[in-house]
Amino acid sequence: MTAGTSDGGGPLAGVRVVELAGIGPGPFAAMLLADLGADVVRVDRPGSSWPHIDPATDITNRNKRSVLLDLKTEGAAELVLDLAERADVLIEGYRPGVAERLGVGPEECRARNPRLVYGRMTGWGQDGPWALRAGHDIGYVGITGALGLIGPADGPPSVPANLLGDYAGGSMYLVVGVLAALHHARATGEGQVVDAAIVDGTSHLTTMLHGMLATGAWQDRREANILDGGTPFYSAYATSDGGWMTVGPLEPRFYAEFLRLLGVEDEVPDRDDLARWPELRSVIARAFARHTRAHWTEVFDGSDACVAPVLSLREAPEHPHLAARGTFTEHGGITQPAPAPRFSATPGAIRRGPAIPGADTAGIARDWDLARLDTEPAAAGQEEAR
């Protein structure tokens, strides 16, 4: 059996989740819950919506099942409430107030099911002067100070795709909040609303840096600090073939091994002399530029020099360490990250491929004891912007 795939239930087996279809961090959070064994029912809208991704390859919808409902159609909201009544968790990623206007807000859902954990995923949060504004990852991480940390001092900030805001500051915090609220609900019988805002989560990720800033150990500008590329021995260097190597031997003993393997032990100035850091960076850069990425990967392989190659998305699954761990797996002809984290007794798994909108209505109606879900038609409509 392929690594990362099995018929195992996972630690969240038996947990029922309703996901009101959206884009970005909400679906990713629901995928995390599904990977860990939750029965996730995604409520899709008829018709396509941005981004135009083939549902068959949208692996953020793996391990889920889909039912097709237009919440602007009469009777559709009542069906969602029926699902919420049978669920442990509901996740939505609309702008504030949209779920309420559609009749599926937290008050309506929790009136039917007081134990329900109602997870709300937004960029700006449920309140505040920008709460109703449109937005995307780049803006959310921009105002939190996180984007301003990344990139060269003499150039624009480097945009880290949507990993930092949507997924780290958004999805992960939604999942933590939902699981904490679920624990509380099972202990007390009382559900609650989880307000997961990307600006809150991303700001929270910078906690250590704010502590360092307060003590003067962090400068509030790019490439001026130990962890932002400002340090010559915590940076990335180009190789002769246009590749890159990461360098991070902060500890003295690792740094000594790095210099030895790079072959520059007798050329470098004292690393504690900050005035000579430009010279140190030049020596390291010249050394890396003499050979290819493959050469340096081999040289540093198995060492404690804290050096690793920068790989592309297509290259990463082939790295020997990731391959040995099964960090990536293949399912349905698609190479993809395997479920994480790992559990010794109840491993997560890829049990099924991406949910195709509306394809699972009959099975959901049966398993959730909601026969009329399979008999009422869904009308076409347009998805609300989150």
Side-chain angles (χ1 to χ4, degrees), residues 57-235:
T57 61
D58 188 356
I59 55 177
T60 57
N61 287 326
R62 71 188 186 191
N63 285 336
K64 304 176 186 178
R65 296 187 291 175
S66 170
V67 62
L68 213 54
L69 291 172
D70 181 0
L71 292 180
K72 293 182 179 179
T73 300
E74 184 177 355
E78 184 65 24
L79 287 171
V80 170
L81 294 178
D82 286 341
L83 288 168
E85 185 176 347
R86 293 158 171 79
D88 300 290
V89 176
L90 183 144
I91 289 175
E92 60 94 354
Y94 301 136
R95 293 195 210 187
V98 170
E100 286 84 350
R101 292 199 300 272
L102 293 172
V104 294
E107 185 174 340
E108 293 89 349
C109 289
R110 296 189 62 244
R112 297 279 290 270
N113 180 3
R115 297 173 62 92
L116 182 72
V117 173
Y118 194 103
R120 316 199 79 169
M121 182 78 262
T122 60
W124 309 115
Q126 294 296 314
D127 53 34
W130 283 20
L132 298 180
R133 291 183 57 165
H136 283 293
D137 181 290
I138 191 169
Y140 308 143
V141 301
I143 71 165
T144 63
L147 183 61
L149 297 169
I150 308 169
D154 57 355
S158 297
V159 181
N162 67 334
L163 302 178
L164 177 56
D166 278 356
Y167 298 143
S171 303
M172 299 299 180
Y173 279 85
L174 177 60
V175 168
V176 169
V178 161
L179 294 180
L182 184 61
H183 174 75
H184 174 265
R186 290 188 164 179
T188 67
E190 178 187 4
Q192 59 184 303
V193 178
V194 178
D195 174 6
I198 296 172
V199 292
D200 294 348
T202 306
S203 296
H204 195 254
L205 291 171
T206 66
T207 299
M208 183 190 76
L209 302 184
H210 276 280
M212 295 175 70
L213 188 66
T215 63
W218 190 271
Q219 304 303 309
D220 200 14
R221 60 185 189 275
R222 290 194 296 279
E223 283 196 322
N225 300 283
I226 192 169
L227 299 176
D228 66 355
T231 307
F233 42 92
Y234 199 88
S235 192

